Amino acid sequence: MKITRNDLEELDNRDPLNQYRSEFNIPEDILYFDGNSLGALPSATVHRVNEVILNEWGSNLINSWNSSGWYTLSETIGNKIAKLIGADDGEIVCVDGTGLNINKVHAVALKMRKNRKVILMEETGFPTDAYITQGLIDQLEQGHIIRFIKKDEILDAITDEVALVSLTQVHYKTGHLFDMKTITQKAHAAGALVVWDLSHSAGVLPIELNKCNVDFAVGCTYKFLNGGPGSPGYLYVSKRHQGKQIQPLTGWWSHKKPFAFEQNYRPKNDIGQFLSGTQPIIALAAAEVGIDMVLRADIALIRRKSIELGEIFIRLIQEHLIDYDLDIVTPRNGADRGSQISLSSPNGFAIIQALKEVGVIGDFRSPDNMRFGFAPLYTRYTDLWDAVKKLQVIMENDTWRAERFNNPIDVT
Ligand SMILES: Cc1ncc(COP(=O)(O)O)c(C=O)c1O
């Protein structure tokens, strides 16, 4: 039997997460499927940012570094993220951007495996991870190489030449979920270390960094953690690796005694060594609100709804759009994907622009990938129906062919 809109209304009514939607500021006329790129705005963020600006900064001025907890905010938020992704207190700092954090943890990992020169990365992973690593290799000048491999060949490629396996847990284009536990085990058995980029997984699926024995991880807070555009990233360093090697961006915040203003560098020997300089407090405060909200919700319920949203979306595409050349590139099996469904079409760019004009926001990743992300805290089941129906009209009428949908834009 085909799915009806009524079926989906019933699911919305019964949804144990449906109270969260009203905590977000989402325009009535928008169907938002881009929480995998920029999460929606929690209403509480507006209040919190105002409070930080007017009270903590405006009235309390520089005293707030001490009295409002600014000085330790990276660690405070890091400990909250730790609860979400299976780490302990003192293993995560919320700091800098994902790319910078990759630089820090890759540098440390390579020092820990001095005699090995190979870094394994998946060949179609998010480019910044590879670009930053290429920059690091260039700076080190020690003959490291990145070996790019196909996703199905990762386990076989982990040999005793490999220093580091660096992967994104959920692929940004296809939504494919990599097996953190198995890959980490295989890497350790071969004497290699692992770095996981959690940008597309934190906040939408249960993650067990410590149970999986992960060495290092990084991620961003602006996707499913709803931290705001360009909000700070985070990095995880397992306790067993702290205080051994120092990361190279040895700014004063990573010094043992920043306010002693000593001439020579002495590293902190805990997660604080992975800080570098003064952090953007307003942005950190905004990020904290989004993280707090995800922490309040049950991650198992989030994952269950995320998988179900994906299943229903796939069925709706099959039931209403079978006549069009839209291939589903995301794994059909819910356990094998993150929280997005991607369709491929040579006309994907224009179709996504045409959808935006009718209030359906997904995004496009070159050359042919149309991404639809599901954020279980605010995506409604009926949104799926409404979006697929609007897509059907665009496909039936060839609306996407109009010139205005085919003009290049900066951010796709
Ligand atoms: C997997 C992954 N890593 C890193 C980034 C971006 O890193 P940064 O926050 O440094 O721009 C993204 C951005 O979408 C991403 O998808």
Side-chain angles (χ1 to χ4, degrees):
M1 251 191 358
K2 283 190 173 179
I3 298 175
T4 66
R5 196 175 191 285
N6 278 346
D7 296 336
L8 300 180
E9 264 173 36
E10 261 175 46
L11 287 177
D12 278 331
N13 291 337
R14 289 202 315 256
D15 176 9
L17 296 172
N18 68 8
Q19 84 261 25
Y20 289 98
R21 164 97 188 174
S22 62
E23 295 188 33
F24 287 90
N25 206 332
I26 303 173
E28 278 295 314
D29 53 349
I30 293 292
L31 297 168
Y32 195 61
F33 295 98
D34 221 354
N36 53 318
S37 192
L38 175 66
L41 167 66
S43 309
T45 305
V46 180
H47 174 74
R48 178 68 188 128
V49 167
N50 258 312
E51 188 179 58
V52 174
I53 291 176
L54 296 175
N55 301 345
E56 297 182 9
W57 176 19
S59 302
N60 216 14
L61 290 155
I62 201 163
N63 292 331
S64 284
W65 283 107
N66 291 311
S67 60
S68 299
W70 288 359
Y71 185 60
T72 49
L73 197 52
S74 286
E75 287 96 335
T76 306
I77 300 177
N79 289 341
K80 291 184 175 187
I81 296 172
K83 290 189 178 46
L84 259 183
I85 59 180
D88 288 333
D89 280 2
E91 289 189 310
I92 295 183
V93 274
C94 186
V95 66
D96 299 330
T98 315
L100 292 190
N101 290 332
I102 287 173
N103 179 279
K104 291 183 248 180
V105 297
H106 279 192
V108 166
L110 293 180
K111 281 199 221 174
M112 290 171 62
R113 291 292 178 273
K114 270 209 161 50
N115 298 326
R116 298 180 178 211
K117 300 296 174 199
V118 177
I119 302 160
L120 285 192
M121 302 184 93
E122 195 266 327
E123 61 178 2
T124 63
F126 192 79
T128 210
D129 299 39
Y131 298 163
I132 289 279
T133 311
Q134 285 160 356
L136 176 65
I137 289 174
D138 208 38
Q139 198 185 6
L140 292 176
E141 290 187 338
Q142 290 172 17
H144 290 102
I145 56 159
I146 302 178
R147 195 168 284 161
F148 289 107
I149 40 197
K150 298 194 187 312
K151 80 172 169 19
D152 297 329
E153 294 169 7
I154 291 171
L155 287 175
D156 288 341
I158 303 176
T159 62
D160 60 9
E161 288 177 299
V162 174
L164 177 60
V165 181
S166 182
L167 296 169
T168 298
Q169 192 186 13
V170 170
H171 193 279
Y172 76 107
K173 270 191 190 171
T174 65
H176 175 90
L177 173 65
F178 288 83
D179 183 345
M180 175 182 277
K181 192 168 175 208
T182 307
I183 293 172
T184 302
Q185 263 171 3
K186 176 82 201 269
H188 288 169
L193 296 164
V194 292
V195 173
W196 286 98
D197 182 338
L198 310 177
S199 293
H200 290 270
S201 45
V204 271
L205 51 94
I207 299 173
E208 294 287 0
L209 292 182
N210 281 344
K211 280 199 184 135
C212 291
N213 238 344
V214 168
D215 301 292
F216 304 95
V218 297
C220 72
T221 60
Y222 47 76
K223 300 181 194 292
F224 293 114
L225 297 178
N226 308 310
S231 57
Y234 55 90
L235 64 81
Y236 156 89
V237 180
S238 162
K239 280 251 168 75
R240 66 185 181 278
H241 298 321
Q242 293 179 19
K244 292 184 180 149
Q245 298 288 347
I246 59 173
Q247 62 87 8
L249 304 180
T250 44
W252 68 309
W253 280 49
S254 73
H255 189 278
K256 187 125 192 148
K257 291 223 174 302
F259 283 85
F261 298 105
E262 296 167 3
Q263 188 172 52
N264 290 320
Y265 185 70
R266 284 193 296 140
K268 285 186 177 136
N269 57 10
D270 57 16
I271 192 69
Q273 203 273 319
F274 287 81
L275 300 171
S276 194
T278 313
Q279 290 303 301
I281 294 300
I282 301 168
L284 276 174
E288 187 174 18
V289 177
I291 292 159
D292 281 341
M293 195 191 286
V294 180
L295 268 177
R296 262 194 290 133
D298 179 345
I299 195 76
L301 289 180
I302 290 179
R303 177 65 170 153
R304 199 171 74 196
K305 180 174 172 189
S306 153
I307 289 179
E308 199 173 18
L309 288 166
E311 258 157 30
I312 293 169
F313 191 73
I314 291 173
R315 272 188 62 192
L316 291 173
I317 294 289
Q318 289 166 337
E319 288 170 10
H320 300 275
L321 288 154
I322 197 74
D323 296 340
Y324 305 99
D325 195 15
L326 301 172
D327 289 335
I328 297 166
V329 296
T330 305
R332 306 290 170 106
N333 180 16
D336 296 333
R337 63 172 184 256
S339 201
Q340 71 187 63
I341 297 295
S342 300
L343 308 177
S344 82
S345 160
N347 310 309
F349 174 79
I351 296 170
I352 285 288
Q353 307 321 311
L355 276 169
K356 281 185 197 161
E357 193 174 82
V358 292
V360 179
I361 302 190
D363 65 23
F364 173 76
R365 289 294 174 263
S366 179
D368 59 2
N369 197 296
M370 300 158 63
R371 301 193 303 182
F372 297 89
F374 312 119
L377 293 186
Y378 54 82
T379 306
R380 297 166 298 202
Y381 291 92
T382 42
D383 291 350
L384 304 174
W385 175 275
D386 298 338
V388 168
K389 283 290 160 189
K390 286 178 190 248
L391 179 55
Q392 192 180 9
V393 172
I394 286 169
M395 299 312 290
E396 276 171 7
N397 298 329
D398 275 349
T399 320
W400 56 270
R401 289 190 193 274
E403 196 185 331
R404 66 186 185 284
F405 300 130
N406 287 276
N407 295 328
I409 52 175
D410 287 335
V411 177
T412 60

